[in-house]
Amino acid sequence: MPETALERCLLLVRAARALDGAELAHTSAHTLAQLEAALLQANTEQHAQRVDEALDPVIMLDAAGYLTGWSKGAEAMFGYTRQEAIGQHVLFLYGDADRGETVRELFLEGGAGLIEAQRRTKSGFLIWVRLAVSMLHDDALQPAGRLVHLSNAVEHLNAAEKTRLHARIIEDSDQGVLITDASERIVSINSSFTRITGYSPLEAIGQTPDLLRSGVHDAEFRAKVRAAMAGEGAWRGEIIGRRKNGELFPQSVTISVVRSAQGVITHTFSLFSDISVHKDAEARMQRMANYDSVTGLPNRALLGTLLRQVLVEAHRIGQHGALMVVEIGRIGAIGDTLGDDVASDLISEIGRRFRQLIRPDDILARIEGDRFAVAMPLIEKREHAAIVADKLLSALAHPIVVAGHSLQVSARIGIAIYPDDAADSATLVRYADVAMTKCAALHACGYLFYHREMDQRAKEHMRLETELRAALAAGELALHYQPKVSLRSGRIVGAEALLRWRHPQRGMIAPAMFIPLAEETGLILDIGSWVLDQACRQVRAWGDAGLATPPIAVNLSARQFDAQLPARLHAVLGRHGVEPRQLMLEITESLLVKGADVVAIMNALVAMGMTLALDDFGTGYSSLAYLKRFPISTLKIDRSFVIGLPHEENDCAIARAIVTMAQQLRQEIVAEGVETAEQMAFLRDLGCDQLQGYLFSPAVTADEFAAMLRAGKTLLLSP
């Protein structure tokens, strides 16, 4: 077992005593040197042991600055365990800003001294420490390292230093500091006080805090503040102050008192911050949340809040009121044509005009892009709401000039009355919206009062939309085929694919009920794609069964008529192996007003080998110019002109004109809705080519139509 330094010292002393006089003189110097070295080593070992066990922060460094000792107190101060610290260079305790410095612990003049410096703990915090450094020596009496005692630097500050430190903190604080004496006279302020209020120390010291009084707060509020200054407890809150230049500003304030050893209040101090920037930001956020950015009017959210307040008051006094939803027409078209800036300026001008026409207590809000709402808290009878609606409509009767453009718009207004129609804000807005939508459905520019039948129809409308979406996925839709018959041979020369919906509870639903709904909701795109696919699938199935089928006509919605239509049709025809000539596309006159793009699409379809028919001719935008421009091969006379034949003179004249015109343009003519032999005979005599109607057959299933073709069923042309 190796001997310790102390044991070696003891052996050396005993050996020296055993020497005789002659030998002692010869060996004493060497023995004493060994003894000194052993004692130094013993001292070092003792230091290391004491360091490891010390509760105070103590560290040991070798000559290069690497840690060889680390006390329990050092663990507590820095957070590093002995195992984590031993072997590390002392620089790992330095802050980032001090990394470039020399190792101050190793380069002290004379090898010992005091240092105050920042050091970093394991958690990353910088702390001020005082370092008491002493030298350690090796066996050769050469410097072997340092012993460093550490302590918190702040603990060594004397009273004067602490006072200077506290003064520096107060002076450099971002918060304003105001200190008053027992007489409420200002005795001290800091630089932030001057920056925030504009008052210099010369102007403020000796005055009272009333120097900043704004006059905004009431007596009760001021009493609470004075109570805090009188020692009734710290107070925190917001105060409106007045700067030297007279400007009012909001401040967040904390007020506390200072007491003597006897508990007497000697001073009061206030810490305050200028929160005007935060208040401005808060106000902007509130404005963004509650007001329309274009018109500055309340938005839908704020309208709901204001309406709830109005309804509470109306209920209290038993008064009636009205809510109107106003939809402005053509805003979208104006934005698309002239730009969003022009549309926004137009909306802003309309809002300004509406505001001038209503009472100060009435509420005007912009609730959507092209919709306003007007709430009239107090009306004596329904007619008063109608008077205001007329005024709003009159404001739009003449063109509005915006950015050099003279713009004409119209409006539709729905009106709900409370408490007759509803007593809560959300329902009132919905009912007024229902009435406005009904007004739009009637293609009227005016106003309409809500009544319960409207809401029932609107709910039915929504229920039907939900069920129609489900019907497409559930396979409830089907195609039936109504034959077209030649008025020359009586033979079947084609058919029109007609959509049918067999509802699981309601049975067969008429197309007139759900096709407009599909158009309105955009479902017509999915349904139209399904119809094209199903029709081509059926044509292919008939062909595979050896049946030669005539062209099948499929109705197209204007929504389907876009630049990608030819590609979609090419894909569906190719998918089912159907020739373009086996399919005819029927379009309505409303599509023809879309312009040159439609002509290009039609030409592309005809180039594919498809034929186009104009359905319901005469009911929309009939014009010879359209017939000359578009590659249409077939005209279909609407059933509304057929029903009065041959007895109604106007129907006869219209039918005759259509047939004559089509013949001149070399177009085929099909009459829809033919139900009697008299109608058939009249149309045949006019020169009509085909008929379609109950006289020959209603729309039938695919199997029934195939059976007609196989049987060679014909129309009896002679009475």
Side-chain angles (χ1 to χ4, degrees):
M1 182 175 181
E3 61 185 16
T4 67
L6 289 175
E7 289 172 339
R8 191 162 65 253
C9 290
L10 181 61
L11 290 174
L12 287 170
V13 170
R14 288 174 179 173
R17 285 178 179 174
L19 295 173
D20 56 27
E23 292 175 318
L24 179 63
H26 177 72
T27 60
S28 61
H30 177 69
T31 302
L32 288 173
Q34 286 183 307
L35 180 60
E36 184 178 13
L39 288 172
L40 285 172
Q41 183 179 351
N43 184 55
T44 301
E45 290 175 353
Q46 189 177 33
H47 275 308
Q49 183 177 2
R50 287 176 179 174
V51 166
D52 292 342
E53 295 176 356
L55 298 179
D56 294 330
V58 183
I59 63 175
M60 282 180 62
L61 309 174
D62 65 14
Y66 289 91
L67 289 161
T68 58
W70 188 261
S71 73
K72 290 184 171 61
E75 287 187 8
M77 174 176 279
F78 292 104
Y80 294 101
T81 65
R82 185 175 188 279
Q83 291 75 16
E84 291 174 320
I86 296 298
Q88 295 266 25
H89 197 280
V90 72
L91 284 173
F92 93 107
L93 298 175
Y94 278 42
D96 293 337
D98 301 324
R99 295 278 181 178
E101 289 189 5
T102 58
V103 184
R104 299 174 65 187
E105 288 90 333
L106 302 182
F107 294 93
L108 291 171
E109 187 176 348
L114 296 176
I115 305 172
E116 285 190 3
Q118 278 190 324
R119 294 294 181 258
R120 187 180 298 278
T121 67
K122 184 177 181 180
S123 60
F125 289 107
L126 292 174
I127 59 174
W128 280 97
V129 295
R130 174 171 287 189
L131 312 175
V133 184
S134 58
M135 186 75 72
L136 297 174
H137 297 84
D138 61 13
D139 294 351
L141 301 181
Q142 295 298 314
R146 301 288 191 276
L147 182 68
V148 184
H149 290 264
L150 303 99
S151 59
N152 192 319
V154 177
E155 293 175 357
H156 296 275
L157 294 176
N158 57 33
E161 288 174 325
K162 287 184 178 180
T163 300
R164 285 194 297 272
L165 175 62
H166 294 164
R168 187 77 262 164
I169 291 172
I170 291 173
E171 182 61 24
D172 292 345
S173 173
D174 285 338
Q175 288 187 303
V177 178
L178 169 68
I179 302 175
T180 61
D181 60 16
S183 302
E184 296 187 8
R185 294 290 172 180
I186 299 173
V187 296
S188 180
I189 61 173
N190 68 348
S191 58
S192 290
F193 177 96
T194 300
R195 174 178 55 81
I196 294 171
T197 67
Y199 289 104
S200 67
L202 187 62
E203 295 169 316
I205 292 176
Q207 303 292 325
T208 69
D210 284 345
L211 182 73
L212 305 178
R213 184 174 174 181
S214 64
V216 171
H217 300 291
D218 58 20
E220 181 181 356
F221 182 89
R222 293 196 302 274
K224 292 179 180 178
V225 174
R226 294 191 66 82
M229 297 177 69
E232 293 186 11
W235 182 88
R236 294 178 180 84
E238 292 183 7
I239 297 178
I240 302 299
R242 185 184 297 276
R243 305 188 208 271
K244 180 181 176 180
N245 62 7
E247 177 188 354
L248 300 183
F249 71 102
Q251 50 186 325
S252 176
V253 182
T254 300
I255 299 174
S256 298
V257 298
V258 178
R259 297 180 185 271
S260 67
Q262 293 75 34
V264 178
I265 295 175
T266 60
H267 295 84
T268 300
F269 66 91
S270 302
L271 305 177
F272 65 93
S273 301
D274 182 353
I275 57 174
S276 55
V277 173
H278 302 292
K279 286 292 186 181
D280 289 344
E282 182 181 342
R284 286 195 298 272
M285 291 297 293
Q286 285 290 331
R287 188 158 191 85
M288 289 173 63
N290 292 301
Y291 290 89
D292 173 54
S293 60
V294 173
T295 62
L297 297 172
N299 60 15
R300 182 182 287 270
L302 183 55
L303 173 67
T305 301
L306 296 175
L307 264 180
R308 284 190 288 273
Q309 296 170 358
V310 165
L311 292 175
V312 169
E313 180 63 16
H315 178 73
R316 186 182 68 82
I317 63 177
Q319 186 68 45
H320 285 69
L323 177 72
M324 297 190 289
V325 171
V326 186
E327 182 182 61
I328 310 298
R330 299 188 65 239
I331 294 296
I334 290 170
D336 292 341
T337 306
L338 301 177
D340 291 338
D341 289 344
V342 173
S344 295
D345 289 345
L346 176 60
I347 282 288
S348 184
E349 174 60 20
I350 291 171
R352 188 188 66 80
R353 292 190 179 190
F354 283 178
R355 182 70 262 179
Q356 291 177 340
L357 294 173
I358 60 178
R359 299 171 300 184
D361 291 339
D362 293 339
I363 302 166
L364 175 64
R366 185 188 181 201
I367 58 175
E368 278 184 33
D370 58 357
R371 294 189 183 185
F372 292 86
V374 179
M376 293 173 286
L378 302 175
I379 61 171
E380 294 182 6
K381 50 187 178 180
R382 296 167 65 94
E383 288 75 10
H384 289 174
I387 293 171
V388 175
D390 276 327
K391 288 182 179 180
L392 299 180
L393 293 169
S394 297
L396 306 178
H398 302 290
I400 301 173
V401 178
V402 176
H405 302 282
S406 182
L407 305 174
Q408 183 70 63
V409 296
S410 58
R412 290 176 284 267
I413 303 175
I415 307 173
I417 304 296
Y418 60 85
D420 296 357
D421 296 327
D424 66 278
S425 60
T427 306
L428 273 170
V429 173
R430 183 167 68 85
Y431 283 176
D433 201 58
V434 166
M436 187 278 301
T437 303
K438 178 63 175 177
C439 189
L442 297 174
H443 302 289
C445 292
Y447 61 84
L448 202 61
F449 281 90
Y450 169 82
H451 54 83
R452 297 197 180 278
E453 290 77 5
M454 289 181 185
D455 190 45
Q456 291 169 358
R457 284 196 294 271
K459 289 178 179 177
E460 173 65 20
H461 190 86
M462 291 299 297
R463 182 165 57 250
L464 199 63
E465 177 186 345
T466 301
E467 292 175 351
L468 181 56
R469 291 183 187 278
L472 184 61
E476 296 172 12
L477 301 182
L479 288 184
H480 285 193
Y481 301 87
Q482 186 170 35
K484 297 178 184 178
V485 183
S486 170
L487 284 174
R488 296 185 181 89
S489 65
R491 299 173 62 85
I492 297 174
V493 293
E496 180 180 359
L498 298 172
L499 189 60
R500 295 291 183 263
W501 178 10
R502 186 176 297 279
H503 193 282
Q505 283 83 38
R506 307 185 203 184
M508 199 67 77
I509 297 179
M513 288 185 63
F514 67 87
I515 293 297
L517 175 62
E519 290 276 5
E520 178 185 335
T521 59
L523 272 173
I524 196 67
L525 295 173
D526 292 334
I527 292 175
S529 296
W530 180 87
V531 168
L532 281 169
D533 188 80
Q534 186 66 21
C536 290
R537 186 190 306 277
Q538 186 59 63
V539 169
R540 181 64 187 180
W542 283 328
D544 291 343
L547 191 64
T549 56
I552 302 299
V554 175
N555 290 282
L556 284 183
S557 163
R559 284 176 175 261
Q560 295 173 268
F561 224 83
D562 56 28
Q564 288 72 46
L565 177 60
R568 293 199 301 271
L569 281 166
H570 181 78
V572 73
L573 290 170
R575 187 162 60 248
H576 296 290
V578 175
E579 296 294 328
R581 60 178 176 78
Q582 294 179 275
L583 210 63
M584 173 182 282
L585 302 178
E586 292 193 3
I587 60 175
T588 59
E589 293 180 1
S590 61
L591 180 64
L592 303 184
V593 298
K594 286 196 170 183
D597 290 344
V598 174
V599 178
I601 297 169
M602 287 183 176
N603 287 333
L605 295 173
V606 172
M608 289 173 56
M610 309 195 74
T611 56
L612 302 176
L614 188 59
D615 197 12
D616 301 336
F617 183 73
T619 61
Y621 304 91
S622 303
S623 168
L624 286 173
Y626 293 140
L627 300 181
K628 289 171 62 179
R629 290 174 56 198
F630 297 104
I632 295 168
S633 60
T634 302
L635 290 182
K636 298 187 73 174
I637 304 174
D638 188 69
R639 65 174 64 246
S640 62
F641 302 131
V642 172
I643 194 169
L645 301 178
H647 307 294
E648 177 60 50
E649 290 185 8
N650 289 337
D651 288 348
C652 291
I654 292 172
R656 187 177 293 108
I658 293 173
V659 171
T660 301
M661 179 179 61
Q663 289 172 338
Q664 294 296 318
L665 294 173
R666 294 183 175 82
Q667 291 170 333
E668 196 169 50
I669 310 149
V670 180
E672 294 183 300
V674 180
E675 298 181 359
T676 68
E678 289 179 307
Q679 293 170 344
M680 177 199 68
F682 181 83
L683 291 165
R684 184 182 59 185
D685 291 343
L686 283 180
C688 186
D689 299 302
Q690 300 172 16
L691 68 77
Q692 179 181 338
Y694 275 57
L695 176 64
F696 181 74
S697 173
V700 295
T701 65
D703 291 340
E704 290 171 327
F705 181 66
M708 287 183 182
L709 292 176
R710 290 193 180 95
K713 181 178 178 180
T714 59
L715 174 66
L716 181 62
L717 297 177
S718 300

